[in-house]
Amino acid sequence: MAKERGDKDRAKLSRAVYERELYRLQTELVALQEWVRHEGARLVVVFEGRDAAGKGSAIKRVTQYLNPRVARIVALPRPTERERTQWYFQRYTGHLPAAGEIVLFDRSWYNRAGVERVMGFCTPAEHQRFLRQCPVFERMLVEDGILLRKYWFSVSDEVQEQRFRRRLKDPTRRWKLSAMDLESLTRWEEYSRAKDEMFVHTDIAEAPWYVVESDDKHRARLNMIAHLLSTVPYHHVSPPELDLPPRPPNTGYQRPPRDLQHYVPDHAAGLE
């Protein structure tokens, strides 16, 4: 099987180094968020790539300390029958950011160039129309002032299979694995050809693709976040001066008796 380039041969980062740098980058992401809000900027980040390439875990680290009112994750389900009759990009435009917002697409309009094309969920004519229209659509977004960043998470076939096997055995992550995911194992080369064709048409100067080597998830997260921060011309915005007000004096309030309320049982007490 053909492989995508991986980073499995590089020395692994120690957990201490990883966590220290991740926290530093996440602190900068908060600064980026405040700049977006202060300046009324609009930022769109597209996460695409192979199944089990680490897109979801990267998104979690990006948004971990961000305000959900500013930074939204968009992960759309399958289109409805009505949506299938709309202009293809229509179901995505309603999720684009307004001023002062960040939107992270956990998969995006590029479904048509990947899973829909490989699995036959769209016709060849619809696929070709997408490849023609997508660069026009994205140029319109950028021309209107949206900051658009696109990341492709690249994972080798060996590592993808390893992650699938771990998901099969892990009851907390079993839900991440579907029959569609397993199908990608037998269609590795078809997905590779579809990705290559997609890049030819949509890796444009106004909105280039950035490839994230993700055989090592820790490196992938750090590299992706550091790159995102480097591409946005943000600066630190001084927060407003805040002081805790003094507590007012007690006016005689008393809490109701505990037996009048329903308390959650102390499950943790049985663990000691």
Side-chain angles (χ1 to χ4, degrees), residues 3-10 12 50-55 57 152-163 166 188 211-221 223:
K3 290 185 181 181
E4 294 184 351
R5 290 183 303 164
D7 50 13
K8 62 182 179 181
D9 295 328
R10 300 177 189 172
K12 283 190 174 294
R50 300 275 189 176
D51 294 316
K55 299 179 297 297
S57 61
W152 176 270
F153 283 70
S154 176
V155 65
S156 65
D157 49 357
E158 292 178 358
V159 172
Q160 184 192 54
E161 184 173 348
Q162 291 169 9
R163 291 175 182 171
R166 285 199 295 269
W188 180 270
V211 178
V212 182
E213 296 284 3
S214 60
D215 274 7
D216 183 329
K217 285 189 176 183
H218 285 183
R219 285 183 179 273
R221 295 164 191 163
N223 293 342

Side-chain angles (χ1 to χ4, degrees), residues 48-269:
E48 290 287 346
R50 300 275 189 176
D51 294 316
K55 299 179 297 297
S57 61
I59 292 172
K60 285 181 181 179
R61 273 62 179 191
V62 169
T63 59
Q64 186 172 356
Y65 297 110
L66 300 185
N67 184 342
R69 294 186 179 88
V70 177
R72 295 185 280 115
I73 300 171
V74 175
L76 299 184
R78 294 179 181 178
T80 64
E81 288 300 320
R82 180 176 183 275
E83 287 171 333
R84 288 193 180 97
T85 67
Q86 296 174 341
W87 176 48
Y88 177 72
F89 295 95
Q90 188 170 339
R91 71 192 296 248
Y92 296 98
T93 56
H95 297 278
L96 293 172
E101 293 180 347
I102 301 170
V103 172
L104 300 95
F105 280 95
D106 185 356
R107 295 204 181 274
S108 65
W109 45 88
Y110 282 101
N111 276 342
R112 176 136 295 178
V115 64
E116 290 190 19
R117 181 244 188 263
V118 172
M119 300 302 297
F121 297 153
C122 67
T123 66
E126 289 171 331
H127 175 244
Q128 290 302 311
R129 188 183 310 128
F130 169 83
L131 294 179
R132 290 194 304 270
Q133 291 186 353
C134 184
V136 178
F137 173 67
E138 292 183 350
R139 287 187 179 106
M140 290 173 64
L141 299 184
V142 174
E143 183 182 8
D144 201 61
I146 288 178
L147 301 169
L148 176 60
R149 303 294 182 266
K150 303 185 307 192
Y151 291 99
W152 176 270
F153 283 70
S154 176
V155 65
S156 65
D157 49 357
E158 292 178 358
V159 172
Q160 184 192 54
E161 184 173 348
Q162 291 169 9
R163 291 175 182 171
F164 281 167
R165 292 188 185 282
R166 285 199 295 269
R167 288 180 181 183
L168 278 172
K169 298 176 181 178
D170 187 343
T172 66
R173 294 190 294 172
R174 178 64 180 78
W175 62 270
K176 290 186 174 184
L177 202 57
S178 67
M180 193 73 66
D181 296 328
L182 299 181
E183 187 81 17
S184 66
L185 285 175
T186 60
R187 295 176 181 261
W188 180 270
E189 291 191 0
E190 292 176 66
Y191 273 103
S192 295
R193 293 189 183 97
K195 183 264 292 183
D196 291 344
E197 185 177 11
M198 178 187 81
F199 269 41
V200 167
H201 290 270
T202 63
D203 187 17
I204 58 177
E206 297 86 348
W209 278 106
Y210 296 105
V211 178
V212 182
E213 296 284 3
S214 60
D215 274 7
D216 183 329
K217 285 189 176 183
H218 285 183
R219 285 183 179 273
R221 295 164 191 163
L222 299 181
N223 293 342
M224 177 266 146
I225 297 173
H227 181 270
L228 174 63
L229 291 167
S230 74
T231 66
V232 180
Y234 75 100
H235 57 79
H236 286 238
V237 176
S238 298
E241 293 290 338
L242 297 175
D243 287 313
L244 288 178
R247 275 192 185 277
N250 192 315
T251 59
Y253 169 78
Q254 293 184 350
R255 292 183 63 177
R258 290 178 62 91
D259 58 7
L260 295 181
Q261 297 175 338
H262 299 282
Y263 281 82
V264 173
D266 190 359
H267 170 77

